[in-house]
Amino acid sequence: MLAMNYRGPYRVRADQKPEPVIEHPGDAIVRVTRTCICGSDLHLYHGMVPDTRVGHTFGHEFIGVVQEVGSGVQNLKVGDKVLVPFNIFCGSCFFCQHELYGNCHNTNAEATAVGAIYGYSHTAGGYDGGQAELVRVPMADVGPLVIPHDIDDDDAVLLTDALPTGYQAAEMGDIQQGDTVVVFGAGPVGIFAAKSAWLMGAGRVIVVDEVEYRLEFVQRYAQCEVVNFREVDDMALHIKKMTDWMGADVCIDAVGGDAAGSIAQTLTGRLMKMQAGAATVLHWCINSVRKGGNVSIVGVYGPTFNAVPMGNALNKGLTLRMNQASVKRHLPRLIEHIREGRLNPKEIITHRVPLEEVAEAYHIFSSKLDNCIKTVLIPPNADQVRAVSATALH
């Protein structure tokens, strides 16, 4: 089968790889029809995530058609069109029972913190991802959701990670009616966080980034104010000026360890890798939010040390909340928002690229070329697979 193949930092290509097989009675094999490049994939692509091994296939945002099921699978059948949350989870451990699907205790033997994630290095379990024609889906009875007939494929693929992560970012901010919310990062997750903040009662939403076309896009899509941090001398001071010297009620980090904006953080966190990524946005969040405010973190950092101003957070009495999104928990509400027209996820898709051109797609997305906001990769014969699935369902 054709699949994305990681060859080292900034080096990916489309290669032929062996097809996945059923390894456990609870597995399913899904033939992929849509898969995305996520901003989190760029952390892998840039060499920021430990134990990302040569030969690994990325991709934790994908939908497809069930091609084969293990003998223990009861909730799926061959021909079902499914969206697959990026979390791999068992559904039965303590954390899954508390809907912390991103912290499942049984699917990632490599770590005691994060659960398993498709295509996200061996620190997240070593599972190959969905930037391929076929993918093995463990725990198939609890993870995948059969896509409702009235949900478009392009909306469905964004329900696997980007939209739920942005929505949870806003949720973890505990936004109260009329709050001022600042979102750092105008990538897909930041865009969805800004849009979701309005749904949760925000009175003002401000998005910070450095790329003008992304700021223009989020301003249109989420009807928010925007700030280019390259035009600001001191980010925290600027936010305080915008908020009557109080600071924002909620700050959201939708960037993570690839952040720009600080020479010292870039040097120690991205180039020398003395930290688990540049903590620039963490500093901005903690220093820009008001006393007693909330900081929500969904940007990806490595699992080791970061230089974070905890003294400031303590003395300001801040609440910091963070986690990988528990996708399955949010799907019923997000599907309702899509049906009612409050959210239109597919509008952020700017590029559809054949899987064969995955190297160029990563280059465009990583380098922010061609006004790229969100890239969807299309595996070979995806349209025929969708047509066969639709026939089977009817």
Side-chain angles (χ1 to χ4, degrees):
M1 67 168 184
L2 191 70
M4 174 272 195
N5 189 341
Y6 175 72
R7 307 310 300 170
Y10 295 90
R11 296 175 59 212
V12 300
R13 67 192 187 202
D15 270 343
Q16 290 296 319
K17 296 183 69 174
E19 293 187 0
V21 297
I22 298 290
E23 298 179 14
H24 183 276
D27 290 350
I29 304 298
V30 171
R31 183 167 289 278
V32 178
T33 56
R34 293 283 187 277
T35 182
C36 297
I37 301 176
C38 176
S40 297
D41 289 324
L42 297 184
H43 298 295
L44 302 169
Y45 180 67
H46 296 156
M48 300 295 295
V49 179
D51 209 7
T52 304
R53 303 182 187 179
V54 169
H56 196 51
T57 294
F58 299 172
H60 54 272
E61 299 181 339
F62 62 93
I63 64 171
V65 176
V66 177
Q67 177 168 293
E68 184 181 358
V69 295
S71 59
V73 176
Q74 299 179 359
N75 297 334
L76 294 180
K77 64 182 185 299
V78 173
D80 280 346
K81 187 167 68 170
V82 294
L83 69 87
V84 184
F86 77 88
N87 324 106
I88 304 173
F89 57 97
C90 70
S92 59
C93 71
F94 173 89
F95 302 100
C96 288
Q97 289 297 304
H98 288 77
E99 296 187 317
L100 295 170
Y101 302 122
N103 307 109
C104 176
H105 207 50
N106 291 326
T107 52
N108 183 7
E110 303 295 330
T112 58
V114 71
I117 300 173
Y118 291 99
Y120 213 76
S121 87
H122 278 66
T123 60
Y127 298 84
D128 270 339
Q131 291 173 9
E133 291 187 83
L134 296 163
V135 61
R136 182 175 75 93
V137 175
M139 311 289 181
D141 267 342
V142 295
L145 175 76
V146 176
I147 300 171
H149 66 87
D150 58 341
I151 297 298
D152 185 88
D153 283 2
D154 286 341
D155 286 328
V157 75
L158 293 170
L159 284 167
T160 61
D161 175 13
L163 178 54
T165 297
Y167 187 83
Q168 182 166 311
E171 179 191 65
M172 290 191 300
D174 192 24
I175 297 167
Q176 303 300 305
Q177 196 70 30
D179 274 356
T180 294
V181 179
V182 176
V183 180
F184 291 96
V189 169
I191 291 168
F192 286 138
K195 191 76 170 180
S196 299
W198 293 118
L199 297 176
M200 296 180 189
R204 187 181 185 188
V205 179
I206 303 165
V207 176
V208 178
D209 203 286
E210 66 172 325
V211 182
E212 281 297 330
Y213 79 80
R214 300 207 317 180
L215 290 170
E216 291 169 5
F217 184 94
V218 72
Q219 191 171 35
R220 292 194 308 271
Y221 183 83
Q223 297 83 49
C224 59
E225 301 170 62
V226 297
V227 175
N228 187 325
F229 69 76
R230 295 294 184 189
E231 299 173 358
V232 172
D233 292 330
D234 185 311
M235 195 69 246
L237 183 64
H238 189 80
I239 294 298
K240 288 177 181 177
K241 285 181 180 178
M242 295 180 73
T243 56
D244 295 326
W245 299 101
M246 290 287 288
D249 299 293
V250 179
C251 283
I252 296 172
D253 175 357
V255 181
D258 266 331
S262 165
I263 294 174
Q265 288 287 340
T266 298
L267 180 65
T268 59
R270 294 173 59 186
L271 300 178
M272 299 177 68
K273 296 184 172 58
M274 295 171 64
Q275 301 186 67
T280 307
V281 173
L282 293 178
H283 283 253
W284 287 349
C285 284
I286 289 169
N287 294 329
S288 299
V289 76
R290 66 166 170 81
K291 289 178 283 189
N294 298 322
V295 173
S296 171
I297 306 166
V298 292
V300 172
Y301 295 87
T304 53
F305 163 82
N306 271 100
V308 179
M310 290 306 298
N312 292 4
L314 169 67
N315 291 326
K316 292 178 74 173
L318 305 185
T319 298
L320 277 64
R321 296 185 65 193
M322 61 210 84
N323 205 353
Q324 299 286 351
S326 293
V327 171
K328 196 80 178 265
R329 176 168 66 85
H330 299 298
L331 291 179
R333 177 60 60 85
L334 290 174
I335 288 171
E336 176 189 340
H337 283 317
I338 292 170
R339 283 174 170 156
E340 295 300 320
R342 292 185 287 265
L343 290 173
N344 190 355
K346 63 179 175 289
E347 285 187 350
I348 78 163
I349 297 172
T350 54
H351 290 65
R352 292 174 173 82
V353 181
L355 181 61
E356 296 92 328
E357 300 173 20
V358 66
E360 181 64 13
Y362 265 88
H363 173 64
I364 290 171
F365 189 45
S366 173
S367 301
K368 299 177 179 64
L369 304 176
D370 196 30
N371 291 351
C372 183
I373 298 290
K374 187 66 172 177
T375 300
V376 174
L377 300 171
I378 311 297
N381 305 313
D383 289 338
Q384 291 92 318
V385 173
R386 292 168 62 212
V388 169
S389 173
T391 302
L393 291 173
H394 290 84

